[in-house]
Amino acid sequence: MNKDITQKLGFICLSLCALITVFFLGTLIYFIVVRGAGAISWQFLTDVPRKFMTQGGVAPAIVGTFYLTLGSIMIALPLGLACAVYLCEYSPKSVVVNIIRISINNLAGVPSVVFGLFGMAVFVKFLGFGVSILSGCLTLAIMVLPSIISASQESLMAVPQSYREASLALGATQWYTIKKIVVPSALPGILTGVILSVGRVAGETAPILFTAGTFYMRGYPKSIFSEVMALPYHIYALMTEGAHPVAQTKIAYGCALILLILVLTVSTLAIFIRQKQRSMS
Amino acid sequence: MDEKVRMEIKNMNFYYGTKQALCDINIQVYRNRVTAIIGPSGCGKSTLIRLLNRMNDLIPHARIEGEVLLDGHNIYGPDEDVVDVRRKIGMVFQKPNPFPKSIFENVAYGLRVNGIKDRQYIRRKVEKSIKDAALWGEVKDRLNDSALALSGGQQQRLCIARALAVEPEVLLMDEPASALDPTSTSKIEELIQELKKRYTIIIVTHNMQQAARISDYTAFLMLGQMVEYDLTPKIFTNPAKKVTEDYITGRFG
Ligand SMILES: Nc1ncnc2c1ncn2[C@@H]1O[C@H](COP(=O)(O)OP(=O)(O)OP(=O)(O)O)[C@@H](O)[C@H]1O
Ligand SMILES: [Mg+2]
């Protein structure tokens, strides 16, 4: 009897907590949609900003976010995958490897604004890339490297040892085994990690604040050494600068809605891939 | 019988870290014969058979003493290429372990590993290997389907086909039928009889009847020691040691 009540109470508590989470996500989406939907139009998506950003569109920011995301993943994926393969498949269990592992975990905990400062000091100033797409991509790449490495590591470790043994027993070298069996088998898991990182990169402001972002552009970036507009940074700029707060706020919510849709689409895709992968094994 | 030695294990000791798993093993494996390794669980059968194609190289902190000769040549010699050794000595594992690829690609894998590009040749070789593994009739219409969709017994025969495709000189089998039903098991046993005409086979089994049925020689292992090694009929009808008799008659835990 007594047990029964405790169990029921526990259950109610848990479902309440779960509901609160859903409630927060729901209100957040509702809020952004209600405030942002009015701003969205064909012109908003395809035009450049006009009249001190009170009119026109945010196309350069969308394009910029696209470049920064694509660029940083193109840098971080090969690097992160190589690192994970080294750690999982080659490295003997040694002190050096432990140091690498601890470094990766610590890197994951560094606040994004610190990456921004680092990117400014190293890529913008020291290497002379200036405030540019390149500097921004490199900074973002370093920021997501740890999550790409750990996602890759997890997927590589989930590849059954029996696959490796079967390949080696046929006279394959370790490198051939990794190339043809291990990495292809781990690919769905690695892709999930990458897609989650895409969401993260697309939404971050701090790392590009000093390395890539610009407040206002009339056109589109010309090369990897150009500054870019990006959606999160644009929202920040609209809310903190300029002389037309009312008009700017409306546009900021429009940007927020686009960003939200982008990020949610990407993470839904990740969930979808993961589920498909699960049902296969 | 006029027997030719194909492989020879000489004064073999093996350690997992500080734990000794095999003590002073000596076995001669004869060409075109089936050699069975029997013994209670944990006695070191898998450890022994994995030493014969250097699969234990993958285990950290493992240490080996002694020699394993293939046609008089130490496969643990300083100039020996481990990849080369494994190409010559094929292995079928206890649990069927096809790659998550098509049936065709599973068998073709070993050929591609060897750098063979000729499609015609690969096609012929794949077909022949699957036929040799007595699987052709069941899969010939669906070579491009995933190998994971096959039954356990079919998967194991596919793994045998995969091993045969690279034409090894010796075939190692670690309890190849332990996860299979009686029908699949008898298919694989028939297959082994057929294969020994062309290959030298070493098979681990914990099934006494199976060892008696299919092998020419039997080695009995216990606690990492080789208790007795002789012709199979001798081991099963007139063993030299009391422990062997107790074990094969099942009077032993
Ligand atoms: N990787 C390993 N590290 C440490 N000890 C091991 C390892 N693999 C096996 N052993 C130990 O070595 C001994 C022999 O193991 P092995 O797997 O060779 O036995 P087996 O005769 O094949 O047994 P089974 O019939 O159950 O397959 C066992 O005591 C086992 O616990
Ligand atoms: Mg075993």
Side-chain angles (χ1 to χ4, degrees):
Chain A
M1 191 66 197
N2 221 344
K3 252 191 199 160
D4 244 34
I5 293 177
T6 333
Q7 176 162 325
K8 266 195 186 127
L9 269 178
F11 181 74
I12 290 170
C13 253
L14 290 176
S15 44
L16 224 65
C17 292
L19 275 179
I20 288 173
T21 319
V22 175
F23 174 77
F24 279 139
L25 182 65
T27 34
L28 183 128
I29 292 175
Y30 174 78
F31 195 67
I32 299 289
V33 169
V34 165
R35 296 268 188 114
I40 299 211
S41 65
W42 183 243
Q43 190 200 18
F44 189 75
L45 294 174
T46 55
D47 201 3
V48 297
R50 292 179 196 286
K51 304 224 165 117
F52 306 104
M53 295 193 304
T54 57
Q55 281 175 27
V58 293
I62 297 175
V63 170
T65 291
F66 177 75
Y67 285 159
L68 286 171
T69 310
L70 193 70
S72 53
I73 296 296
M74 270 166 50
I75 297 165
L77 177 58
L79 214 60
L81 184 55
C83 183
V85 166
Y86 174 75
L87 287 175
C88 286
E89 307 290 325
Y90 279 106
S91 64
K93 313 266 171 286
S94 70
V95 183
V96 183
V97 170
N98 272 335
I99 292 175
I100 297 177
R101 287 224 162 92
I102 293 168
S103 310
I104 293 167
N105 286 338
N106 279 326
L107 207 57
V110 173
S112 54
V113 69
V114 177
F115 283 113
L117 284 174
F118 168 82
M120 183 178 71
V122 174
F123 303 127
V124 178
K125 297 271 164 61
F126 182 71
L127 293 174
F129 298 152
V131 173
S132 63
I133 295 182
L134 182 60
S135 300
C137 287
L138 288 166
T139 312
L140 288 167
I142 294 178
M143 182 188 78
V144 290
L145 205 50
S147 37
I148 290 196
I149 293 173
S150 35
S152 308
Q153 262 186 306
E154 262 170 49
S155 326
L156 290 173
M157 283 194 290
V159 174
Q161 187 64 18
S162 65
Y163 289 0
R164 295 183 182 87
E165 289 186 343
S167 173
L168 294 172
L170 288 165
T173 58
Q174 196 181 4
W175 173 239
Y176 193 89
T177 302
I178 290 170
K179 213 170 49 172
K180 296 290 180 178
I181 302 291
V182 180
V183 170
S185 307
L187 214 54
I190 296 171
L191 282 184
T192 322
V194 167
I195 288 175
L196 290 174
S197 305
V198 166
R200 175 108 191 276
V201 168
E204 279 283 356
T205 318
I208 55 171
L209 208 52
F210 326 115
T211 58
T214 179
F215 177 34
Y216 177 53
M217 265 177 98
R218 275 171 192 286
Y220 298 91
K222 303 261 177 329
S223 78
I224 56 167
F225 294 107
S226 314
E227 302 176 305
V228 274
M229 291 177 71
L231 286 168
Y233 183 51
H234 195 53
I235 295 171
Y236 170 77
L238 286 165
M239 300 303 287
T240 54
E241 295 174 40
H244 308 277
V246 178
Q248 287 179 198
T249 305
K250 218 180 113 196
I251 295 179
Y253 275 105
C255 289
L257 181 57
I258 296 171
L259 196 55
L260 195 67
I261 290 171
L262 282 179
V263 173
L264 286 182
T265 313
V266 163
S267 19
T268 313
L269 200 65
I271 293 169
F272 184 73
I273 292 181
R274 188 173 290 178
Q275 231 140 41
K276 205 164 159 196
Q277 181 192 3
R278 245 186 231 150
S279 65
M280 279 204 310
S281 55
Chain B
M1 266 192 282
D2 179 25
E3 301 285 51
K4 289 200 192 95
V5 177
R6 174 117 245 191
M7 282 189 96
E8 189 168 2
I9 304 166
K10 274 178 136 172
N11 309 324
M12 164 79 65
N13 288 292
F14 183 82
Y15 307 83
Y16 288 113
T18 53
K19 188 177 158 252
Q20 184 158 14
L22 294 175
C23 306
D24 196 29
I25 307 284
N26 287 284
I27 296 179
Q28 293 192 323
V29 176
Y30 299 103
R31 186 186 288 262
N32 297 102
R33 296 285 173 266
V34 178
T35 303
I37 302 171
I38 61 169
S41 185
C43 69
K45 303 183 295 294
S46 296
T47 307
L48 178 59
I49 200 168
R50 288 165 59 91
L51 278 169
L52 304 184
N53 71 340
R54 295 187 58 172
M55 275 327 254
N56 286 338
D57 286 17
L58 304 176
I59 295 170
H61 309 302
R63 194 159 56 81
I64 173 175
E65 292 164 4
E67 293 184 330
V68 176
L69 307 180
L70 173 66
D71 296 325
H73 209 77
N74 185 10
I75 62 168
Y76 284 92
D79 303 326
E80 207 56 45
D81 181 9
V82 60
V83 167
D84 219 43
V85 168
R86 292 185 186 139
R87 200 165 291 167
K88 286 191 232 157
I89 305 176
M91 183 152 196
V92 176
F93 295 82
Q94 177 163 358
K95 253 181 75 194
N97 57 353
F99 299 124
K101 294 172 176 281
S102 72
I103 293 169
F104 184 89
E105 281 306 319
N106 261 279
V107 183
Y109 183 81
L111 301 170
R112 299 194 200 285
V113 164
N114 287 306
I116 296 170
K117 297 253 158 56
D118 182 351
R119 291 209 182 170
Q120 207 77 42
Y121 177 82
I122 292 179
R123 198 148 257 299
R124 275 205 312 272
K125 192 80 204 169
V126 167
E127 179 174 337
K128 177 153 191 329
S129 308
I130 298 180
K131 278 181 178 158
D132 285 349
L135 186 64
W136 183 251
E138 289 152 78
V139 302
K140 66 174 188 292
D141 301 320
R142 46 174 179 149
L143 291 175
N144 292 319
D145 288 7
S146 168
L148 301 182
L150 296 173
S151 75
Q154 290 171 331
Q155 286 189 2
Q156 194 59 302
R157 276 178 284 149
L158 183 69
C159 292
I160 294 174
R162 185 173 66 182
L164 295 181
V166 293
E167 297 182 355
E169 293 167 23
V170 178
L171 192 59
L172 310 174
M173 301 174 127
D174 189 355
E175 304 197 29
S178 70
L180 307 181
D181 63 88
T183 324
S184 308
T185 303
S186 66
K187 270 199 181 139
I188 286 183
E189 287 183 7
E190 279 167 32
L191 185 57
I192 290 171
Q193 291 311 313
E194 199 52 42
L195 291 175
K196 83 171 194 185
K197 291 175 189 156
R198 283 182 288 144
Y199 298 89
T200 301
I201 296 172
I202 302 171
I203 182 169
V204 166
T205 175
H206 58 212
N207 180 334
M208 236 66 63
Q209 287 80 30
Q210 186 173 61
R213 272 197 304 270
I214 62 173
S215 72
D216 303 299
Y217 289 85
T218 298
F220 173 49
L221 247 61
M222 219 173 84
L223 299 171
Q225 314 251 6
M226 204 184 64
V227 178
E228 200 169 340
Y229 176 55
D230 213 325
L231 285 163
T232 300
K234 173 97 172 24
I235 293 269
F236 279 88
T237 55
N238 187 20
K241 303 246 171 80
K242 180 85 170 50
V243 225
T244 315
E245 189 178 343
D246 286 351
Y247 182 72
I248 56 172
T249 51
R251 249 179 289 151
F252 182 92

